[in-house]
Amino acid sequence: MTGSPRLGLPFLSAGQAQKELFHNEALQLLDFAVGAAVEELPRAAAPETPAEGACYLIAPGATGEWAGRDGALAGYSGGGWRYLAPLEGMAVYVRSEEVVATFRSGAWEVGALRGSALLLGGQQVVGTRGAAIAAPAGGATVDAEARTAIGLILAAMRSHGLIES
């Protein structure tokens, strides 16, 4: 094996000449991967004048220097572009949008959060979607204002996906 199994970082071998080149290459890739942050949403072409240390997500159908590297994380250094193939579940911060992009099922999913519950201050405020709630109907005394308010509350909960329709 010539590199690490997850990130493909180059290993040093006994008696290897110029070990510092392999070590520095591994450090460059780690610098881009650990706490990864990219400049913008996925793009298909490399920027003309990237800043050293800038990272980008390569969009499908990439062209030029990035051709054939769809989905990869591209980081620019003094030695040129370095590429890192994403792993399932890898997350990066997208600076321009102030959201997180996560690599799922072979593509970058931007801005979506997944979970089973939302807790604020230790208190669960959102969990899995509840069952449908019927609109108010019947009763001895009909209160039109109350029914309207309850109907609006139920509609808002349905539109936010908190309860089924």
Side-chain angles (χ1 to χ4, degrees):
M1 177 183 281
T2 60
S4 66
R6 288 179 37 95
L7 296 177
L9 302 175
F11 287 149
L12 300 178
S13 56
Q16 178 179 344
Q18 297 183 321
K19 291 180 181 177
E20 67 278 1
L21 296 177
F22 289 84
H23 178 72
N24 290 344
E25 181 65 21
L27 290 177
Q28 288 281 6
L29 290 172
L30 275 174
D31 190 42
F32 294 131
V34 176
V38 296
E39 303 306 315
E40 57 192 54
L41 295 172
R43 58 184 296 158
E48 289 186 29
T49 55
E52 191 164 337
C55 288
Y56 299 88
L57 297 177
I58 301 177
T63 60
E65 295 177 79
W66 290 358
R69 299 197 181 264
D70 297 2
L73 179 69
Y76 191 76
S77 70
W81 290 103
R82 305 267 187 306
Y83 303 98
L84 189 62
L87 302 169
E88 185 70 16
M90 181 181 217
V92 300
Y93 178 71
V94 182
R95 290 182 172 134
S96 65
E97 305 296 311
E98 297 183 341
V99 297
V100 172
T102 305
F103 193 75
R104 288 195 174 93
S105 303
W108 289 101
E109 186 177 86
V110 180
L113 297 176
R114 295 175 182 247
S116 57
L118 173 63
L119 286 78
L120 297 176
Q123 175 84 24
Q124 181 174 328
V125 294
V126 178
T128 56
R129 182 183 289 186
I133 299 173
T141 306
V142 176
D143 182 340
E145 285 183 28
R147 283 192 182 189
T148 299
I150 291 169
L152 292 171
I153 292 167
L154 292 173
M157 292 176 74
R158 288 183 187 109
S159 72
H160 288 287
L162 297 175
I163 59 172
E164 293 181 18
S165 297

